Amino acid sequence: MPVLNMVQAINLALKEEMQRDDSVVILGEDVGKDGGVFRVTEGLYDRFGAQRIIDTPLAESGIVGAAIGMAVYGLKPVAEIQFMGFIYPALDQILSHASRVRARSRGRFSCPLVIRTPYGIGIKAPEHHEESTEALFCHTPGVKVVVPSTPYNAKGLLMSSIRDPDPVIFLEAARLYRMIKEEVPEGEYTIPLGQARIAREGSSVTIIAWGSMLHRTLQAAEGYDAEVIDMMTLSPFDEETIYNSVKKTGRVVIVHEAPKTCGFGAELSASIAEDAMLYLRAPVMRVTAYDVVMPTAKLEDYYTPDVSRIRKAVEEILKY
Amino acid sequence: MPEKIIESFQIRRLDILNEKGEANGPLMPALSDDLIKKMYELFILLRTFDRYALNLHAEGRIGTYASVLGQEASQVGSALAIEKSDWIFPSFRESGVYLSMGYPPRMLLQYWSGDERGSRVPDDLNIFPVCVPVGTQIPHAVGAAAAAKYKGDKIAVVSYFGDGGTSKGDFHEGLNMAGVMKLPVVFICQNNHWAISVPLKQQTASKTIAQKAYAYGFDGIQVDGNDVFAVYKATKEAVDKARQGGGPTFIECVTYRMSDHTTADDAKRYRSQEEVDAWKSKDPLLRLKLFMEKKGLWSEQYGKEIEEKTKEIIEKEVREKESTKDPDPKDMFTYTYTNLTLRQMKQMKEVES
């Protein structure tokens, strides 16, 4: 079984889905001959040609808008937005249209597209290259939000996302692209959307994370009897896995690299308070980035949760 | 080295039917008498629908409505040139396009009364539901055209928008992409001179809107948007060209919005009565009627019959719309995703109880 990093695993998922289904096409900036700025689409242009790997003009709203038109006409477009910080011009298309095609047309048309975008810290890039604005999309009914944390999961989740009949925002932690390798089988396997996984079992505290924060969280959990949940899909999210863990541990720490206010941690925290409060032995704690404009390289490590901040929260919550 | 001119351009303008109802023979498209009568009958249908919709709004029986009065030629003329297999991405002022394509009037009224079941496009029509955000439907048409080209379907995709829509970024992104990819798409701009209260001269500094196409590498043409024959001819040529692989076309229909922007607007606040009166003489219905009279296609009796027949149709449609029961609150949940999420299921139960 090949040992692949995240970039290679995603590339493999795209290649296999394109082989399987002629209606899958890729569009975006530099996705063709260049193979994408992170090389995620490398080799696909040579294999599938300019008809299916479409280098578009530089136009985020146009890319997503055109992908919507392709999807409603019967293709399965996978649009790449080069960095999540560049997705703002396309928000109108995602929020006003992709999420509403099915509802607005009362089921006559659907919009089976995937928008892939690298997100998050760790690549020491200029402004607008390291944002983590998943909550914007989780607050939008009609789109699904998927965040893989390992190469194996990335492939299985991307295959499910491409086959999903609804629009999926697929977030790839840029920091993880080449950080970890693992065995990734060739050929078809899917991981269902909407399911979390227990990345580490434990019984004294539940720590919830996703994407690149999962790996810091696993590191921070060492030495504790901590259960770590990898969300994998943020919208719709897996309430059952979370509540079952809360019942077991009674303590919850949520870790994310987006700012605290109205981040997805707020949703999880409120949901646990509503539905599992009687199992809690301590307040739900959030370890997040600060409520500031995403800083560039020199300060990004201060901005984002690190192992010591996560451990501090765990120590704090264990005192209750 | 001396300075030199490396590019210059010309914009064509098409006029066929003048205000006296006289048609320019050599330019006149070959239209059967039946098709000309269909144009007239759709004009009457549209005007009647519009009048009833405005009345229903005044009586509080439907919500906000966007009138199409004055733009009938742009809508009927273009829609009749489009095939049923073609795809249409309209804005929110295309009742005339919907009705010309055969969309049931009661469903349009249902939509404007806040019942989203009116947006369920009949299966035999490829027209998209009303798009309220301005200009954002343009890239959708471009994407659908790209998909049709990829699949080898010989169809055209038509996008409608107003002069205000041409100020949006999506207009540029969509037209640029269509030009680069040489897609089978027709952009129809109904330049009705007003984007709510902002007049055309504050919308764009270019002399025509049609000339914008030049920058994207394809043809732009201006037509008299109150001349149903000119609109029909330009659209027919553009959709035929698209289907034959000739790429995109931009059509600017110069017309005028005779009503307020919507029922929530009062145009008297920002435009003069003189301007509105000046456009009355350019009425698209009047000149078609004069033309038909000269050809012996129109008589008092025919006019009366059509008006009565149309009134009956619309009244029946209004009755049907009004006798439709309100939607089930569960409908809110049904179409967000293909399948309900667990959370939606819980919320739906709450609504049921």
Side-chain angles (χ1 to χ4, degrees):
Chain A
M1 202 182 291
V3 174
L4 304 179
N5 66 24
M6 195 107 147
V7 168
Q8 294 163 327
I10 295 167
N11 181 277
L12 186 60
L14 292 169
K15 188 178 86 182
E16 289 178 359
E17 283 301 278
M18 291 190 78
Q19 270 165 352
R20 189 184 64 84
D21 182 353
D22 279 351
S23 66
V24 179
V25 298
I26 290 176
L27 70 160
E29 295 157 21
D30 306 304
V31 296
K33 280 189 180 167
D34 195 34
V37 291
F38 286 102
R39 304 286 173 263
V40 174
T41 53
E42 192 156 73
L44 300 180
Y45 182 87
D46 291 338
R47 194 174 188 111
F48 298 105
Q51 282 269 321
R52 294 184 70 190
I53 310 289
I54 305 160
D55 267 327
T56 64
L58 200 164
E60 286 79 12
S61 186
I63 292 166
V64 175
I68 291 169
M70 290 174 172
V72 301
Y73 196 84
L75 298 187
K76 287 184 181 159
V78 181
E80 178 178 302
I81 298 296
Q82 216 156 53
F83 291 91
M84 198 176 191
F86 299 165
I87 210 165
Y88 306 126
L91 279 183
D92 190 14
Q93 286 294 344
I94 300 169
L95 273 51
S96 301
H97 292 291
S99 68
R100 291 166 178 251
V101 167
R102 179 181 296 281
R104 185 175 288 146
S105 69
R106 311 322 277 167
R108 166 70 202 283
F109 301 108
S110 63
C111 188
L113 63 79
V114 177
I115 300 168
R116 292 181 36 247
T117 184
Y119 85 95
I121 56 121
I123 52 167
K124 309 287 183 204
E127 196 186 1
H128 289 299
H129 288 69
E130 303 206 11
E131 267 71 1
S132 177
T133 50
E134 63 272 16
L136 291 173
F137 304 106
C138 295
H139 192 58
T140 306
V143 295
K144 297 178 180 176
V145 182
V146 176
V147 192
S149 60
T150 68
Y152 176 88
N153 291 334
K155 184 183 170 198
L157 286 166
L158 183 53
M159 286 192 148
S160 296
S161 299
I162 292 171
R163 295 174 194 193
D164 197 277
D166 294 313
V168 177
I169 314 290
F170 193 84
L171 302 177
E172 300 164 5
R175 180 169 166 262
L176 299 184
Y177 267 153
R178 293 187 162 78
M179 198 180 90
I180 34 170
K181 285 188 170 189
E182 66 181 351
E183 286 192 341
V184 178
E186 284 178 347
E188 191 168 317
Y189 69 92
T190 55
I191 295 173
L193 305 187
Q195 279 184 17
R197 73 181 174 105
I198 308 284
R200 179 191 200 268
E201 292 213 32
S203 57
S204 65
V205 56
T206 299
I207 319 180
I208 305 172
W210 53 89
S212 86
M213 285 300 112
L214 180 84
H215 300 275
R216 286 189 182 177
T217 299
L218 284 169
Q219 226 183 313
E222 279 171 25
Y224 297 97
D225 184 16
E227 181 142 294
V228 175
I229 295 178
D230 176 3
M231 289 297 291
M232 299 201 297
T233 302
L234 300 184
S235 179
F237 72 93
D238 182 353
E239 299 180 20
E240 202 187 344
T241 298
I242 293 169
Y243 300 158
N244 284 340
S245 183
V246 175
K247 281 176 194 170
K248 188 162 71 168
T249 65
R251 294 180 175 87
V252 184
V253 174
I254 301 160
V255 183
H256 64 63
E257 60 173 287
K260 189 169 198 169
T261 304
C262 297
F264 192 67
E267 174 57 42
L268 290 176
S269 174
S271 298
I272 293 165
E274 270 181 2
D275 294 326
M277 196 193 80
L278 295 179
Y279 300 97
L280 287 175
R281 289 185 227 165
V284 176
M285 305 270 293
R286 285 177 287 164
V287 186
T288 70
Y290 300 116
D291 290 331
V292 299
V293 171
M294 168 81 217
T296 50
K298 296 285 184 200
L299 293 179
E300 72 175 51
D301 290 339
Y302 296 95
Y303 167 78
T304 329
D306 57 13
V307 171
S308 70
R309 277 173 64 193
I310 300 168
R311 283 198 175 138
K312 206 174 144 204
V314 171
E315 292 285 347
E316 179 85 21
I317 209 170
L318 287 172
K319 285 184 196 157
Y320 281 87
Chain B
M1 292 294 279
E3 234 180 45
K4 47 186 176 179
I5 304 296
I6 57 164
E7 270 281 60
S8 59
F9 68 94
Q10 292 179 323
I11 290 299
R12 284 191 301 144
R13 156 96 187 191
L14 182 63
D15 291 272
I16 297 175
L17 184 64
N18 71 15
E19 289 157 34
K20 292 178 196 155
E22 297 156 349
N24 182 330
L27 290 177
M28 183 69 188
L31 300 173
S32 67
D33 289 350
D34 281 350
L35 189 59
I36 293 169
K37 281 164 108 174
K38 190 171 180 188
M39 286 171 169
Y40 176 80
E41 287 161 24
L42 282 168
F43 275 27
I44 299 295
L45 179 75
L46 193 44
R47 223 157 250 208
T48 311
F49 176 85
D50 212 59
R51 194 173 68 240
Y52 271 77
L54 291 170
N55 287 341
L56 287 169
H57 172 79
E59 291 165 12
R61 288 154 73 190
I62 66 168
T64 303
Y65 170 72
S67 165
V68 284
L69 188 69
Q71 297 181 217
E72 294 87 351
S74 293
Q75 301 205 2
V76 172
S78 56
L80 288 182
I82 298 168
E83 302 289 334
K84 271 207 158 176
S85 54
D86 295 335
W87 280 56
I88 305 175
F89 290 83
S91 79
F92 52 82
R93 200 188 296 286
E94 268 78 68
S95 301
V97 177
Y98 284 97
L99 294 175
S100 301
M101 296 304 294
Y103 204 87
R106 68 180 175 282
M107 288 181 71
L108 279 187
L109 292 171
Q110 216 177 350
Y111 169 79
W112 288 109
S113 65
D115 181 347
E116 294 174 72
R117 290 173 300 179
S119 285
R120 167 80 204 201
V121 178
D123 288 342
D124 62 337
L125 291 180
N126 301 317
I127 183 166
F128 244 64
V130 165
C131 177
V132 172
V134 173
T136 47
Q137 73 279 19
I138 297 169
H140 305 164
V142 172
K149 187 177 178 183
Y150 172 67
K151 287 188 169 193
D153 296 344
K154 298 275 176 230
I155 63 138
V157 182
V158 182
S159 175
Y160 285 90
F161 44 90
D163 40 307
T166 66
S167 301
K168 292 287 292 277
D170 278 354
F171 170 81
H172 166 70
E173 297 192 18
L175 268 72
N176 186 50
M177 224 177 261
V180 169
M181 296 169 77
K182 214 178 176 199
L183 297 174
V185 59
V186 180
F187 301 101
I188 298 182
C189 174
Q190 290 172 85
N191 170 5
N192 69 10
H193 288 83
W194 291 90
I196 307 189
S197 68
V198 178
L200 183 65
K201 65 176 187 294
Q202 276 174 260
Q203 203 65 244
T204 179
S206 61
K207 192 171 175 190
T208 69
I209 296 181
Q211 74 198 54
K212 290 174 192 277
Y214 188 81
Y216 301 110
F218 53 87
D219 291 336
I221 181 171
Q222 188 182 75
V223 302
D224 180 345
N226 284 9
D227 168 353
V228 69
F229 299 148
V231 175
Y232 176 87
K233 185 183 167 88
T235 310
K236 185 83 175 63
E237 284 173 5
V239 290
D240 286 348
K241 177 180 119 183
R243 278 193 281 266
Q244 285 154 18
T249 306
F250 183 88
I251 302 170
E252 176 191 1
C253 299
V254 180
T255 181
Y256 194 77
R257 185 192 86 207
M258 297 302 289
S259 282
D260 299 325
H261 165 64
T262 64
T263 48
D265 172 49
D266 176 9
K268 288 191 187 72
R269 290 167 60 91
Y270 51 81
R271 69 180 184 188
S272 70
Q273 191 57 43
E274 294 77 55
E275 182 185 301
V276 180
D277 290 343
W279 277 91
K280 278 185 185 159
S281 62
K282 300 177 200 277
D283 185 343
L285 174 63
L286 188 64
R287 65 175 92 169
L288 179 60
K289 191 185 126 189
L290 290 171
F291 172 85
M292 288 169 72
E293 260 182 319
K294 288 189 219 295
K295 286 258 292 180
L297 292 173
W298 195 93
S299 65
E300 288 289 341
Q301 198 197 338
Y302 167 77
K304 218 174 183 178
E305 269 172 28
I306 295 304
E307 288 207 6
E308 275 169 19
K309 203 172 96 187
T310 307
K311 200 165 155 256
E312 272 171 36
I313 291 170
I314 296 295
E315 280 177 356
K316 185 165 168 275
E317 293 283 323
V318 170
R319 279 197 304 276
E320 280 190 27
K321 179 255 162 200
E322 302 240 302
S323 63
T324 308
K325 280 188 188 153
D326 278 350
D328 187 324
K330 283 196 290 186
D331 269 15
M332 284 190 291
F333 296 92
T334 311
Y335 301 108
T336 311
Y337 299 99
T338 310
N339 299 308
L340 290 174
T341 65
L342 288 172
R343 190 165 268 198
Q344 285 181 315
M345 282 183 202
K346 285 184 207 163
Q347 293 170 348
M348 199 165 85
K349 275 191 190 137
E350 193 181 312
V351 168
E352 274 180 304
S353 62

